[in-house]
Amino acid sequence: MSCAFAMIMAGADNADLSVLTEVRSEPAVPFAGKFRLIDFSLSNCVNSGIHNVAVLTQYRPRSLNDHIGIGKPWDLDRSSGGVRLLQPYRGGPYGDWQRGSADAIRRNLDYVLQQKEECVLILSGKHIYLMDYRPFLSHHLRTGAPVTIAVRRVSRHETHRFGIISLDTDGRVIEFQEKPRRTEQNLASMGVYVFRRDFLVDVLNNSSGDDLGRDILAGLVAQGHVASYTYPGYWADASTIQAYWDANMSLLAEEPALNLYAPEWVVHTRSQERAPVKLGPAADVDGTLLSNGCQIEGAVERSVLSPGVQVGEGALVRDSVILNDTIIEPGAVVERCVIDKEVRVCQDATVGHSENNRPNPELPARLNTGLTLVGKGSTVPAGMRLGRNVVIHPLSGEDAFAKSEGVESGKSVGLNLR
């Protein structure tokens, strides 16, 4: 039996993913065609021999709950251990809804105390990486520290997105900065922690902090309780729309840093039965990831297509991420876009093409690089022209475009569902 059970944090809202998280939680966001973000943490657990897993949900959990179900794709449909969905609740000594990762675990300490394993592995459900947790756990036990954080180097341009730490010569954490605006350090917390179970219970019972990183770990670092483990492999936090697009596009490299094809480390997921990919006589596909059930009659360049996507004759999809069952009708052009599930881009529409790169005021710091977003279940009318940094909110029908011929760069259409 493993020395640890896992708790996957899967309840946060994230407006930085715009239309993708208006209809689902962040861990349920599709990625790499057929997967969802939470598949990586779940698969890492079972591949590491950890078969006792709790998933803590809160924000828009329905699609996540449907995806995980009883855990069968990950061999977690077990009577002993297996996967447990710990739903949020109100009332009792904690009052209203959970307010952060530490608060979520605190509300489930009765579950923690029922587990037999001596260590608690705390994970995020939104990170993309293939990690064997066994060396990490062995390192934690060898050091004797009550807490160990997995860390890795990140770009100095990205340090403002992460918890940044400093180490002493023994690998002990001596400083923790939560998303600093400026720092000379670039060693980031991966959001992968292991606690001695009884120590975690004691800390949360004697603290009112809501967030594990910002409120709890900073204090433990000051007390000298936190060790580190350096992870050398690929790891991505796709928590902004640009990072999400970049992570998908990186899969199209000749030798991608994230190897989804390694037979010794399979990423498991809940898959629908679909027909094979079908390429029509006029299809032209280059540098693209196609999922099962795709039907391509037009041209697709440097894109990631999820199951069931259809691209009509004479249509062009370039540098885009297209999610399940979206239909690109004949003659349409889709360029540098993220298009959610069950969208219809009607005949001769142009989406994401303009010389104007005006930022979108909904996310001026995030939606300013030319990406256009179309929310789940929307319809882009025939002949419609959408510029860059445009947001089409979910369920926007043809009437939402008010009979206009186009949407200028940086504009939005439809109702924000948040």
Side-chain angles (χ1 to χ4, degrees), residues 37-74:
L37 293 180
I38 199 168
D39 291 337
F40 293 90
S41 295
L42 286 171
S43 298
N44 288 341
C45 283
V46 297
N47 291 340
S48 301
I50 298 171
H51 292 91
N52 186 5
V53 180
V55 179
L56 283 67
T57 68
Q58 179 160 280
Y59 173 79
R60 292 192 182 275
R62 187 175 67 82
S63 62
L64 182 66
N65 293 347
D66 290 345
H67 179 68
I68 296 174
I70 60 173
K72 188 172 182 179
W74 303 272

Side-chain angles (χ1 to χ4, degrees), residues 270-293:
R270 177 173 175 260
S271 295
Q272 295 178 324
E273 295 297 329
R274 300 264 189 164
V277 172
K278 180 181 178 182
L279 301 181
D284 183 6
V285 178
D286 179 52
T288 288
L289 188 64
L290 298 176
S291 301
N292 49 323

Side-chain angles (χ1 to χ4, degrees), residues 106-159:
R106 185 183 294 113
R107 293 163 182 256
N108 289 284
L109 286 180
D110 56 340
Y111 170 84
V112 173
L113 288 168
Q114 291 171 2
Q115 309 313 305
K116 298 181 175 63
E117 295 86 350
E118 61 180 301
C119 297
V120 187
L121 184 64
I122 299 176
L123 310 170
S124 169
K126 63 180 183 177
H127 294 154
I128 304 161
Y129 64 122
L130 308 178
M131 180 178 179
D132 188 341
Y133 298 130
R134 287 169 293 196
F136 175 49
L137 292 167
S138 296
H139 175 80
H140 170 73
L141 295 173
R142 280 197 307 273
T143 65
V147 189
T148 304
I149 305 178
V151 299
R152 72 182 302 277
R153 299 287 175 185
V154 297
S155 165
R156 295 190 184 277
H157 300 293
E158 294 280 293
T159 53

Side-chain angles (χ1 to χ4, degrees), residues 103-309:
D103 189 46
I105 298 171
R106 185 183 294 113
R107 293 163 182 256
N108 289 284
L109 286 180
D110 56 340
Y111 170 84
V112 173
L113 288 168
Q114 291 171 2
Q115 309 313 305
K116 298 181 175 63
E117 295 86 350
E118 61 180 301
C119 297
V120 187
L121 184 64
I122 299 176
L123 310 170
S124 169
K126 63 180 183 177
H127 294 154
I128 304 161
Y129 64 122
L130 308 178
M131 180 178 179
D132 188 341
Y133 298 130
R134 287 169 293 196
F136 175 49
L137 292 167
S138 296
H139 175 80
H140 170 73
L141 295 173
R142 280 197 307 273
T143 65
V147 189
T148 304
I149 305 178
V151 299
R152 72 182 302 277
R153 299 287 175 185
V154 297
S155 165
R156 295 190 184 277
H157 300 293
E158 294 280 293
T159 53
H160 65 282
R161 295 180 54 211
F162 306 112
I164 301 299
I165 69 172
S166 302
L167 306 178
D168 65 14
T169 55
D170 295 323
R172 199 58 74 147
V173 181
I174 56 175
E175 185 180 17
F176 182 93
Q177 304 174 69
E178 179 70 10
K179 299 181 180 178
R181 294 184 63 184
R182 295 181 180 86
T183 178
E184 294 299 315
Q185 306 298 325
N186 71 330
L187 194 61
S189 167
M190 294 170 56
V192 176
Y193 316 107
V194 59
F195 281 77
R196 222 171 43 226
R197 187 191 63 170
D198 294 343
F199 181 80
L200 176 65
V201 171
D202 183 63
V203 166
L204 292 181
N205 275 331
N206 291 284
S207 169
S208 59
D210 295 332
D211 185 80
L212 201 57
R214 182 187 64 244
D215 301 325
I216 304 298
L217 285 175
L220 296 179
V221 166
Q223 298 168 34
H225 289 314
V226 183
S228 69
Y229 172 84
T230 301
Y231 175 66
Y234 176 91
W235 174 87
D237 181 354
S239 293
T240 68
I241 198 66
Q242 183 66 46
Y244 173 81
W245 184 84
D246 287 342
N248 274 281
M249 292 297 107
S250 72
L251 299 172
L252 305 178
E254 187 172 336
E255 294 185 10
L258 180 68
N259 182 10
L260 296 174
Y261 301 94
E264 71 276 8
W265 205 266
V266 175
V267 181
H268 304 277
T269 190
R270 177 173 175 260
S271 295
Q272 295 178 324
E273 295 297 329
R274 300 264 189 164
V277 172
K278 180 181 178 182
L279 301 181
D284 183 6
V285 178
D286 179 52
T288 288
L289 188 64
L290 298 176
S291 301
N292 49 323
C294 286
Q295 300 178 58
I296 312 299
E297 302 288 343
V300 185
E301 302 174 5
R302 300 183 303 277
S303 297
V304 177
L305 274 56
S306 290
V309 171

Side-chain angles (χ1 to χ4, degrees), residues 338-397:
V338 176
I339 297 185
D340 207 335
K341 293 183 175 185
E342 300 166 8
V343 168
R344 182 176 290 271
V345 179
C346 294
Q347 189 165 349
D348 297 325
T350 302
V351 183
H353 182 75
S354 174
E355 298 301 319
N356 189 334
N357 201 36
R358 183 188 301 114
N360 191 293
E362 287 188 17
L363 288 171
R366 302 296 192 195
L367 202 54
N368 56 20
T369 63
L371 291 174
T372 285
L373 315 179
V374 182
K376 182 178 179 181
S378 296
T379 298
V380 179
M384 178 64 58
R385 299 181 62 85
L386 307 185
R388 299 190 184 277
N389 302 316
V390 167
V391 176
I392 307 301
H393 287 288
L395 303 177
S396 294

